[in-house]
Amino acid sequence: MLIKIDETLAKQVCDELHIDQTDEELATVTALLSGAQAIINDSIELATYPDIVNNPLYIRAIITLGQALYYDRNLANGQPKAIILMIDHLNAICLTKGANLNGPK
């Protein structure tokens, strides 16, 4: 099951970033997290191994990208290296687990 991007997660991110939890900030953070989730989902082999959404690294990648987008909405310098590293690890897990699920028995 995909991670639900909601006010609870937005509040967690606001706490991590020491951002006031006004309605406007929560709406902004929630929207950025939804966008970050779409980017992460499009960047990994989610269809190969959908259970990756249960991996703590998956939600951390969403949160980290959401935080990066909060401070740099255009990602003018590209995705942070940490995001690229997390995506690489998530892809490796998806491909390995997907190969195990789909491979010969």
Side-chain angles (χ1 to χ4, degrees):
M1 178 170 104
L2 290 177
I3 300 299
K4 183 178 179 189
I5 305 299
D6 59 10
E7 190 173 291
T8 302
L9 185 59
K11 286 181 178 181
Q12 175 188 331
V13 171
C14 285
D15 285 344
E16 288 181 15
L17 297 177
H18 306 287
I19 297 170
D20 292 335
Q21 296 181 12
T22 64
D23 290 342
E24 294 82 14
E25 290 294 343
L26 288 171
T28 297
V29 171
T30 301
L32 293 172
L33 289 170
S34 292
Q37 183 178 37
I39 291 168
I40 297 299
N41 289 349
D42 286 345
S43 299
I44 63 174
E45 298 290 336
L46 187 62
T48 304
Y49 184 64
D51 288 345
I52 195 68
V53 299
N54 299 318
N55 188 303
L57 186 58
Y58 172 77
I59 187 63
R60 178 47 49 193
I62 292 169
I63 291 170
T64 303
L65 183 54
Q67 291 171 342
L69 288 166
Y70 183 83
Y71 289 111
D72 181 8
R73 305 286 163 87
N74 296 321
L75 292 179
N77 295 318
Q79 289 186 12
K81 291 179 182 178
I83 296 297
I84 295 167
L85 180 66
M86 289 183 215
I87 288 171
D88 286 347
H89 281 284
L90 289 168
N91 266 324
I93 293 167
C94 287
L95 294 173
T96 300
K97 298 283 187 176
N100 290 343
L101 292 174
N102 299 319
K105 298 190 185 209

